Amino acid sequence: MKFTKLKNGKYVVNGVTTYEEVIIKLNLFNENNFDTKKIMEENKYYELYYKALNYIKRGMKTKKQVLDFINNTDIVNKLCKEGYIDDLRYTRAFIHDKLLFTDYGPLKLKLKLYYLGVDKNIIEEEINKIDNEIFNKKIIKLINKNKKLNYIINQGYSYEDIKKATNDC
């Protein structure tokens, strides 16, 4: 049996293009194990796997985002086990970035993360870790910029939070 390595990391075995993982998994070194149907099935799996890896490579993703992209729970679970997908790590990074670069309040942060498919418990736990003083400073900054009450509420602050922040000044 002849194996030819291609530039893209794939191999050609007896005229069939496949992945190294498929060669090892199906033990294609033994000529008796060559089954084109099995090779094609495994190739489909690894095509999706590498498609998901390329998607994740462009930026952190939640489990739901990757599942929506490739529609294969086995691959998503494998990527979670391998550490490529981690909703907790994603949530922490998301909150960190939004606190630094936006005026988002706790309600808007929760809503965005919920739509990204992060578990409610993770969202609540991470939002509760944030010091309320950070949000109060953001509210005061928005008020000082002469932003209207509706704008501040739309940024994810409750009326009670706004009232409390202005009373603390």
Side-chain angles (χ1 to χ4, degrees):
M1 194 169 307
K2 184 180 177 189
F3 295 86
T4 308
K5 185 171 183 171
L6 303 174
K7 290 182 182 179
N8 60 4
K10 294 180 182 179
Y11 289 82
V12 176
V13 182
N14 289 355
V16 178
T17 304
T18 190
Y19 294 91
E20 182 176 5
E21 292 90 342
V22 176
I23 294 171
I24 294 168
K25 185 175 182 178
L26 298 179
N27 192 18
L28 296 180
F29 300 109
N30 182 350
E31 289 190 32
N32 297 335
N33 291 337
F34 194 83
D35 182 356
T36 307
K37 267 189 181 175
K38 282 184 183 177
I39 294 171
M40 294 314 224
E41 286 175 21
E42 290 296 322
N43 276 349
K44 287 179 187 175
Y45 177 85
Y46 283 101
E47 286 287 337
L48 279 177
Y49 177 79
Y50 286 113
K51 184 178 177 182
L53 276 179
N54 283 329
Y55 180 59
I56 295 168
K57 182 171 67 175
R58 291 185 239 135
M60 290 178 74
K61 306 289 185 217
T62 65
K63 190 174 183 177
K64 179 188 179 298
Q65 287 175 301
V66 178
L67 187 59
D68 290 346
F69 185 70
I70 61 166
N71 200 24
N72 186 312
T73 52
D74 293 337
I75 292 173
V76 171
N77 290 335
K78 179 179 179 175
L79 291 169
C80 287
K81 285 178 188 171
E82 292 173 347
Y84 292 111
I85 302 171
D86 184 348
D87 282 355
L88 178 60
R89 188 175 64 218
Y90 180 91
T91 302
R92 289 177 177 162
F94 181 89
I95 291 172
H96 177 266
D97 289 351
K98 296 304 178 189
L99 287 176
L100 280 178
F101 301 115
T102 70
D103 293 325
Y104 287 7
L107 301 175
K108 193 164 187 175
L109 287 170
K110 289 178 186 179
L111 187 64
K112 294 274 186 183
L113 287 165
Y114 177 75
Y115 283 135
L116 290 169
V118 178
D119 183 72
K120 290 178 186 178
N121 296 328
I122 293 173
I123 296 170
E124 286 298 324
E125 186 178 312
E126 293 304 311
I127 295 290
N128 290 335
K129 288 180 181 178
I130 302 169
D131 185 9
N132 284 335
E133 192 58 34
I134 293 172
F135 292 125
N136 289 343
K137 287 179 183 179
K138 286 184 173 280
I139 292 170
I140 299 303
K141 183 179 97 176
L142 291 170
I143 291 171
N144 290 338
K145 286 183 174 180
N146 293 322
K147 296 295 181 180
K148 294 185 178 181
L149 183 61
N150 277 348
Y151 176 80
I152 298 171
I153 290 172
N154 285 337
Q155 288 302 310
Y157 300 97
S158 69
Y159 182 74
E160 292 78 29
D161 290 341
I162 297 167
K163 194 173 180 181
K164 184 179 176 207
T166 53
N167 288 339
D168 289 346
C169 288

PDB file of all heavy atoms in Angstrom, residues 3-17:
ATOM      1  N   PHE A   3       1.534   5.278   0.522  1.00  0.00           N
ATOM      2  CA  PHE A   3       1.090   6.468   1.233  1.00  0.00           C
ATOM      3  C   PHE A   3       1.845   7.672   0.674  1.00  0.00           C
ATOM      4  O   PHE A   3       3.069   7.677   0.645  1.00  0.00           O
ATOM      5  CB  PHE A   3       1.394   6.365   2.734  1.00  0.00           C
ATOM      6  CG  PHE A   3       0.637   5.272   3.426  1.00  0.00           C
ATOM      7  CD1 PHE A   3       1.118   3.973   3.466  1.00  0.00           C
ATOM      8  CD2 PHE A   3      -0.563   5.553   4.047  1.00  0.00           C
ATOM      9  CE1 PHE A   3       0.419   2.978   4.115  1.00  0.00           C
ATOM     10  CE2 PHE A   3      -1.275   4.566   4.701  1.00  0.00           C
ATOM     11  CZ  PHE A   3      -0.785   3.268   4.723  1.00  0.00           C
ATOM     12  N   THR A   4       1.100   8.686   0.256  1.00  0.00           N
ATOM     13  CA  THR A   4       1.712   9.905  -0.251  1.00  0.00           C
ATOM     14  C   THR A   4       1.198  11.078   0.577  1.00  0.00           C
ATOM     15  O   THR A   4      -0.009  11.293   0.679  1.00  0.00           O
ATOM     16  CB  THR A   4       1.350  10.138  -1.737  1.00  0.00           C
ATOM     17  OG1 THR A   4       1.656   8.951  -2.468  1.00  0.00           O
ATOM     18  CG2 THR A   4       2.089  11.321  -2.293  1.00  0.00           C
ATOM     19  N   LYS A   5       2.138  11.827   1.174  1.00  0.00           N
ATOM     20  CA  LYS A   5       1.735  12.963   2.000  1.00  0.00           C
ATOM     21  C   LYS A   5       1.536  14.193   1.118  1.00  0.00           C
ATOM     22  O   LYS A   5       2.362  14.519   0.281  1.00  0.00           O
ATOM     23  CB  LYS A   5       2.779  13.254   3.072  1.00  0.00           C
ATOM     24  CG  LYS A   5       2.344  14.342   4.028  1.00  0.00           C
ATOM     25  CD  LYS A   5       3.253  14.480   5.212  1.00  0.00           C
ATOM     26  CE  LYS A   5       2.670  15.554   6.122  1.00  0.00           C
ATOM     27  NZ  LYS A   5       3.343  15.612   7.384  1.00  0.00           N
ATOM     28  N   LEU A   6       0.418  14.888   1.347  1.00  0.00           N
ATOM     29  CA  LEU A   6       0.119  16.118   0.620  1.00  0.00           C
ATOM     30  C   LEU A   6       0.540  17.322   1.463  1.00  0.00           C
ATOM     31  O   LEU A   6       0.778  17.209   2.661  1.00  0.00           O
ATOM     32  CB  LEU A   6      -1.379  16.199   0.298  1.00  0.00           C
ATOM     33  CG  LEU A   6      -1.953  15.022  -0.503  1.00  0.00           C
ATOM     34  CD1 LEU A   6      -3.466  15.169  -0.622  1.00  0.00           C
ATOM     35  CD2 LEU A   6      -1.315  14.971  -1.877  1.00  0.00           C
ATOM     36  N   LYS A   7       0.591  18.514   0.846  1.00  0.00           N
ATOM     37  CA  LYS A   7       1.014  19.725   1.555  1.00  0.00           C
ATOM     38  C   LYS A   7       0.029  20.153   2.643  1.00  0.00           C
ATOM     39  O   LYS A   7       0.410  20.782   3.610  1.00  0.00           O
ATOM     40  CB  LYS A   7       1.203  20.880   0.566  1.00  0.00           C
ATOM     41  CG  LYS A   7       2.386  20.711  -0.339  1.00  0.00           C
ATOM     42  CD  LYS A   7       2.537  21.904  -1.259  1.00  0.00           C
ATOM     43  CE  LYS A   7       3.708  21.699  -2.190  1.00  0.00           C
ATOM     44  NZ  LYS A   7       3.883  22.813  -3.112  1.00  0.00           N
ATOM     45  N   ASN A   8      -1.231  19.833   2.491  1.00  0.00           N
ATOM     46  CA  ASN A   8      -2.247  20.271   3.456  1.00  0.00           C
ATOM     47  C   ASN A   8      -2.367  19.352   4.672  1.00  0.00           C
ATOM     48  O   ASN A   8      -3.299  19.483   5.453  1.00  0.00           O
ATOM     49  CB  ASN A   8      -3.612  20.417   2.771  1.00  0.00           C
ATOM     50  CG  ASN A   8      -4.110  19.123   2.170  1.00  0.00           C
ATOM     51  OD1 ASN A   8      -3.495  18.077   2.305  1.00  0.00           O
ATOM     52  ND2 ASN A   8      -5.243  19.204   1.498  1.00  0.00           N
ATOM     53  N   GLY A   9      -1.437  18.415   4.841  1.00  0.00           N
ATOM     54  CA  GLY A   9      -1.459  17.522   5.994  1.00  0.00           C
ATOM     55  C   GLY A   9      -2.233  16.244   5.765  1.00  0.00           C
ATOM     56  O   GLY A   9      -2.280  15.378   6.629  1.00  0.00           O
ATOM     57  N   LYS A  10      -2.850  16.101   4.613  1.00  0.00           N
ATOM     58  CA  LYS A  10      -3.597  14.885   4.298  1.00  0.00           C
ATOM     59  C   LYS A  10      -2.670  13.895   3.604  1.00  0.00           C
ATOM     60  O   LYS A  10      -1.559  14.216   3.218  1.00  0.00           O
ATOM     61  CB  LYS A  10      -4.784  15.205   3.387  1.00  0.00           C
ATOM     62  CG  LYS A  10      -5.850  16.074   4.035  1.00  0.00           C
ATOM     63  CD  LYS A  10      -6.983  16.329   3.065  1.00  0.00           C
ATOM     64  CE  LYS A  10      -8.038  17.229   3.636  1.00  0.00           C
ATOM     65  NZ  LYS A  10      -9.115  17.488   2.685  1.00  0.00           N
ATOM     66  N   TYR A  11      -3.187  12.689   3.427  1.00  0.00           N
ATOM     67  CA  TYR A  11      -2.453  11.627   2.757  1.00  0.00           C
ATOM     68  C   TYR A  11      -3.306  11.046   1.643  1.00  0.00           C
ATOM     69  O   TYR A  11      -4.531  11.055   1.718  1.00  0.00           O
ATOM     70  CB  TYR A  11      -2.097  10.493   3.735  1.00  0.00           C
ATOM     71  CG  TYR A  11      -1.035  10.866   4.735  1.00  0.00           C
ATOM     72  CD1 TYR A  11      -1.357  11.570   5.885  1.00  0.00           C
ATOM     73  CD2 TYR A  11       0.290  10.511   4.530  1.00  0.00           C
ATOM     74  CE1 TYR A  11      -0.387  11.913   6.807  1.00  0.00           C
ATOM     75  CE2 TYR A  11       1.271  10.839   5.438  1.00  0.00           C
ATOM     76  CZ  TYR A  11       0.930  11.542   6.580  1.00  0.00           C
ATOM     77  OH  TYR A  11       1.892  11.871   7.485  1.00  0.00           O
ATOM     78  N   VAL A  12      -2.642  10.490   0.635  1.00  0.00           N
ATOM     79  CA  VAL A  12      -3.330   9.741  -0.404  1.00  0.00           C
ATOM     80  C   VAL A  12      -2.924   8.280  -0.224  1.00  0.00           C
ATOM     81  O   VAL A  12      -1.743   7.939  -0.207  1.00  0.00           O
ATOM     82  CB  VAL A  12      -2.949  10.229  -1.820  1.00  0.00           C
ATOM     83  CG1 VAL A  12      -3.611   9.358  -2.876  1.00  0.00           C
ATOM     84  CG2 VAL A  12      -3.328  11.684  -2.011  1.00  0.00           C
ATOM     85  N   VAL A  13      -3.943   7.439  -0.021  1.00  0.00           N
ATOM     86  CA  VAL A  13      -3.714   6.010   0.177  1.00  0.00           C
ATOM     87  C   VAL A  13      -4.518   5.278  -0.886  1.00  0.00           C
ATOM     88  O   VAL A  13      -5.736   5.363  -0.916  1.00  0.00           O
ATOM     89  CB  VAL A  13      -4.174   5.558   1.584  1.00  0.00           C
ATOM     90  CG1 VAL A  13      -3.895   4.086   1.788  1.00  0.00           C
ATOM     91  CG2 VAL A  13      -3.541   6.397   2.661  1.00  0.00           C
ATOM     92  N   ASN A  14      -3.817   4.595  -1.793  1.00  0.00           N
ATOM     93  CA  ASN A  14      -4.483   3.869  -2.877  1.00  0.00           C
ATOM     94  C   ASN A  14      -5.500   4.742  -3.615  1.00  0.00           C
ATOM     95  O   ASN A  14      -6.617   4.320  -3.896  1.00  0.00           O
ATOM     96  CB  ASN A  14      -5.172   2.606  -2.356  1.00  0.00           C
ATOM     97  CG  ASN A  14      -4.167   1.547  -1.949  1.00  0.00           C
ATOM     98  OD1 ASN A  14      -2.970   1.703  -2.127  1.00  0.00           O
ATOM     99  ND2 ASN A  14      -4.662   0.461  -1.398  1.00  0.00           N
ATOM    100  N   GLY A  15      -5.143   5.979  -3.859  1.00  0.00           N
ATOM    101  CA  GLY A  15      -6.005   6.884  -4.612  1.00  0.00           C
ATOM    102  C   GLY A  15      -7.087   7.571  -3.790  1.00  0.00           C
ATOM    103  O   GLY A  15      -7.880   8.341  -4.329  1.00  0.00           O
ATOM    104  N   VAL A  16      -7.137   7.318  -2.499  1.00  0.00           N
ATOM    105  CA  VAL A  16      -8.136   7.941  -1.623  1.00  0.00           C
ATOM    106  C   VAL A  16      -7.432   8.946  -0.708  1.00  0.00           C
ATOM    107  O   VAL A  16      -6.469   8.596  -0.028  1.00  0.00           O
ATOM    108  CB  VAL A  16      -8.871   6.878  -0.767  1.00  0.00           C
ATOM    109  CG1 VAL A  16      -9.866   7.528   0.175  1.00  0.00           C
ATOM    110  CG2 VAL A  16      -9.549   5.866  -1.660  1.00  0.00           C
ATOM    111  N   THR A  17      -7.911  10.188  -0.712  1.00  0.00           N
ATOM    112  CA  THR A  17      -7.344  11.219   0.147  1.00  0.00           C
ATOM    113  C   THR A  17      -7.963  11.109   1.529  1.00  0.00           C
ATOM    114  O   THR A  17      -9.178  11.006   1.672  1.00  0.00           O
ATOM    115  CB  THR A  17      -7.618  12.620  -0.431  1.00  0.00           C
ATOM    116  OG1 THR A  17      -7.112  12.671  -1.762  1.00  0.00           O
ATOM    117  CG2 THR A  17      -6.967  13.700   0.398  1.00  0.00           C
TER     118      THR A  17
END
